[in-house]
Amino acid sequence: MAKKNKRSTYDRYGKEGLTGGGGGGRAHYDDHFGGGFTFRNPEDVFREFFGGRDPFADFFVVMVLVVEIVVEVVVMVVAAVVVVVVVVVMVVVPMAVVVELVMVLVVEVVMV
């Protein structure tokens, strides 16, 4: 039985299947149920699956652009908030001064 399994493994995977991988980054292991699994270099599997190109390269380029846009928007919002605060201070402070002067004048007129 063992010779039959070895012969089958050799026929399917060659010498690498019997030696546990050799130099090719592959190792084949048979289980007791007649199946088996061949271990391979994960980088080779990744390269085969994605056709030799990095599938995340475009993602990182897009993410950099999105971050740049978000930073620009945040800067514009902060600038707008600063402008609003300055305008409010310029309008509210003089109004408070005017209201205080009017109150002083009203008190002066009433007291006379």
Side-chain angles (χ1 to χ4, degrees):
M1 183 72 169
K3 282 187 175 187
K4 188 176 181 181
N5 282 341
K6 283 185 178 183
R7 181 62 189 183
S8 173
T9 300
Y10 183 82
D11 289 343
R12 285 187 289 172
Y13 305 104
K15 187 176 180 182
E16 286 181 352
L18 295 176
T19 61
R26 298 174 183 238
H28 181 79
Y29 298 93
D30 282 324
D31 61 17
H32 297 291
F33 303 104
F37 182 79
T38 301
F39 288 98
R40 298 178 49 207
N41 183 344
E43 291 174 357
D44 293 341
V45 174
F46 189 84
R47 204 172 298 110
E48 278 182 32
F49 186 79
F50 290 108
R53 67 186 273 302
D54 183 0
F56 303 110
D58 296 337
F59 174 75
F60 291 122
V61 169
V62 169
M63 287 306 298
V64 167
L65 293 175
V66 167
V67 168
E68 288 176 356
I69 291 169
V70 168
V71 167
E72 287 181 22
V73 168
V74 167
V75 167
M76 287 190 288
V77 168
V78 168
V81 168
V82 167
V83 168
V84 168
V85 167
V86 168
V87 168
V88 166
V89 167
M90 290 176 67
V91 170
V92 170
V93 169
M95 285 179 60
V97 171
V98 169
V99 168
E100 188 176 336
L101 288 174
V102 169
M103 297 276 289
V104 168
L105 288 175
V106 167
V107 169
E108 292 285 327
V109 170
V110 172
M111 295 296 257
V112 173

